[in-house]
Amino acid sequence: MERPATYTATATIDERGILTGWSDGARRLLGYDSPAVVGRPAAALLATDAAGTRRTLAGRSRWHGTVPLRHQDGRRLELDVLAHRRTSPAGRTDWLVVSPVTARPQPPRGDPLEEWTFLQSPFPLAVFDPDLRLLRANRRLEHALALPEAAMRGLRLTHIVPGAASEEAERSMRAALESGRPQEAQGRLGPDLGRTAVLTPLKDADGRVRAVCLSVSRPAPDAGGPSPADRTGPGAASAADQVLAAQELGKVTVPRLADVMAVDLLDRPRPGGSGAGGPQPGQVVLRRAALRAVPDGTGTARGTCVGEAVVCPAGSPPARCLATARPLLYDTAEPGIAEWAALDPCAGWLRASGTRSLLAVPLVGAGGTLGVALFGRTRRRERFGPEDVRLAEEFTAKAAACIEQARAEAPAPDTAPLRHGLLPHPLPDQAALEITTRCLPAAGGTGPGGEWFDVIPLSGARVALVAGDAAGRGIRASATVGRLRTAVRTLADVDLPADELLAHLDDLVLRLAADESSADPAAESAGGIGTTCLYAVYDPVSRRCAAARAGHPAPAVVTPDGAVRVLDVPAGPPLGLGGPPFEAVETELPEGSLLALCANGPSEPDGRAVGRALDGVYGAPDRPAPSLEAVCDRVLTELAGPRPDDHVSVLLARTRALPEDRVACWELEHEPTVVSLARRYVEEQLSAWDLQEAVFTTELIVSELVTNAIRYGRPPVRLRLLRPGAGLICEVYDASGSTPHMRRARIFDEGGRGLLLVAQLAERWGTRHERTGKTVWAEQTPAAL
């Protein structure tokens, strides 16, 4: 087997265009020693117009192509290069530029059947030579990385996708080459790739290792399911590029410019780029393309997820910004803005992050208005000023150029709407479940459907799992999913039981259908009538799972001993059809149990299809590896069959249990003197957890919650402390069903400040109603401890 280049030329360039790194391979390629070029403009090496190169790279996170460079002896060299834009944790950016030194030969091909198997495999595959340089890449990997094989051939994985994940994969490659045994590496090599890579040594007839094959698992849930780049066709990658450009805007501006930001795109550009040609004020439907907050969690972004429909009412900042096609500044304390932020589910990220200063900037391209970028600052920073507006316009102009370029090749929105948000994206931080998802498109290419999953962290370390399937296909089904998913998240924030949540969702569907029918009696309803939904809540403390369903297949469970059963959840009617009330059931799940949810696929409403698939997996002699990714792949294969006539989507969740030493609970007397005893319990427990610095704050929180329970509640009263991860949760239960409300106390009022104090000290707080009584809880983040 002929090897490609044995070394690579690399250089690094900072955001000012100055060379900051120069490898020995670069010296051998162009003849310049490192001291002669480092610290000088990279444009001096170009044998072409530098301004054109800057325009080509503007707003991109990666580029590959041919670049003319000038050798030290004056020769002009046409080089194939791959350039990556990188951002450090401190917010500094630079470019990594790589190029094989010699021509990359075409690797040998096998017989046609072997070639078809390699190229058409649904799993990403690549072959690397003993020098760890790429020889072959199949189509699935090309689509996932949005790079052709020709651009990657001859390069090491660390140059193709720089980062910790590729470094770990290369270490496993070396181990596979040296030991002759397969190895595994953890870490995502790209947003559309799973977390597990298997490195298999390839041996000749004499048993000598000649190469290593890298195979990557299918996308995990925080990849948001199958990306548009996964689909074949000229417009597939360009649809993904729109989302990538929007997300890159978030990486550049958070935290440099803002604490939290969102990008919402119009499905079709609006003509014109000025106030006169922009859309008129009124309800505007967009689609969320990016949502990003500062990494330390203080600007937590919650609410509408990437890929979901965003309905902006008349007078809202996004609608006004699109109407005027110019930047607009708002203080979220303004009455109109505060009302929009409080009532509109699509503005949930503003409430969660505590944004006080909001900047709305239109994304305007040469062909018209593409959408709007919203930037928020919390109380930790000054409000946006004129210089911030100028900087935001500069960044959004570059992003708009990239989005417009991608849209020039993208398919029509009614055949390829963005579906990044239909599977959990990104996967929220939680300690109760290990989760992965898979989605297999229909063989007939029937277009995107209305199936969706969601994972919602709840109070008390619990997690809600949602699976649903909206009737119909295309953009109408996607819009229905966006509405219902936002509604489910809003109802989940209220901590409703599973059956009550579905009842409220059923009422919402009926109202939506009635509104649409009154607006246009001849139109096909997209209000969600006939949509199925399953809502399940798992508690890692009690190890119990409560579930209810509206016409959706029941979940299946695999216990740690391999026994498979379908949960006996009563089948309620689909949403919007009326009928008997929904009914929830509760079951205990041993730690390590596997919970399987199907969004659609086989039509058996009782969940027997997913149960049979699990039986086929766990009843086979060759059981899958314990990796959840491997199990999910096998389950999907069993469900789909050779040619599925509908999309098949699966979510697997492996249960975890909160250890007993992470839970502390006390029964308290219903009398005022018990408050000091509760403070002592807190001090002793936090000392045992080595959280002495959090004692004062936690004592204040617990004092207020216990005082309220005794003053306004009924016995029994219970205090519970949970430490599910690095954070801390305080809970106080009493038997009263009344909900506490925070109010503004007057100067001479003796009370009314307790919950205000709790809200200031805790990251989040709320009330959870039980069948009898309620629990008031407050959560502190690791940063506060």
Side-chain angles (χ1 to χ4, degrees), residues 221-224 291 305-306 423-429 455 485 489:
D222 52 338
L291 186 62
C305 287
V306 172
L423 299 178
H425 178 74
L427 184 66
D429 293 332
V455 179
R485 185 172 181 180
R489 286 184 163 235

Side-chain angles (χ1 to χ4, degrees), residues 484-505:
L484 295 182
R485 185 172 181 180
T486 300
V488 170
R489 286 184 163 235
T490 303
L491 294 170
D493 276 346
V494 187
D495 250 328
L496 293 175
D499 51 346
E500 292 184 26
L501 183 142
L502 290 182
H504 283 281
L505 198 62

Side-chain angles (χ1 to χ4, degrees), residues 458-462 658 662 664 689 698 702 719-725 727-731 764 768 776-780 785:
L458 302 176
S459 64
R462 299 167 306 134
L658 197 60
R662 293 264 175 161
W689 283 342
T698 309
V702 169
L719 167 64
R720 188 169 76 162
L721 298 182
L722 303 176
R723 197 163 184 227
L728 180 66
I729 301 172
C730 307
E731 297 184 341
R764 299 191 303 143
R768 179 173 73 249
V776 184
W777 55 270
E779 183 176 336
Q780 299 177 72
L785 302 177

Side-chain angles (χ1 to χ4, degrees), residues 84 90 104 115 119 145 275 328 372 417 429 503 561 592 748 777:
H84 301 274
R104 291 167 287 192
E115 281 300 298
L119 293 176
L145 298 181
L328 299 174
V372 61
D429 293 332
D561 61 2
F748 298 106
W777 55 270

Side-chain angles (χ1 to χ4, degrees), residues 340-360:
W340 168 69
L343 299 179
D344 192 344
C346 299
W349 61 277
L350 287 173
R351 301 190 300 272
S353 63
T355 292
R356 71 164 182 174
S357 182
L358 178 67
L359 171 60

Side-chain angles (χ1 to χ4, degrees), residues 534-545:
L534 167 72
Y535 187 80
V537 177
Y538 173 70
D539 186 342
V541 179
S542 65
R543 300 172 178 80
R544 299 189 69 81
C545 179

Side-chain angles (χ1 to χ4, degrees), residues 104-121:
R104 291 167 287 192
Q106 289 286 339
R109 297 315 200 238
D111 65 63
L113 183 59
E114 293 172 346
E115 281 300 298
W116 297 337
T117 303
F118 178 83
L119 293 176
Q120 300 176 31
S121 170

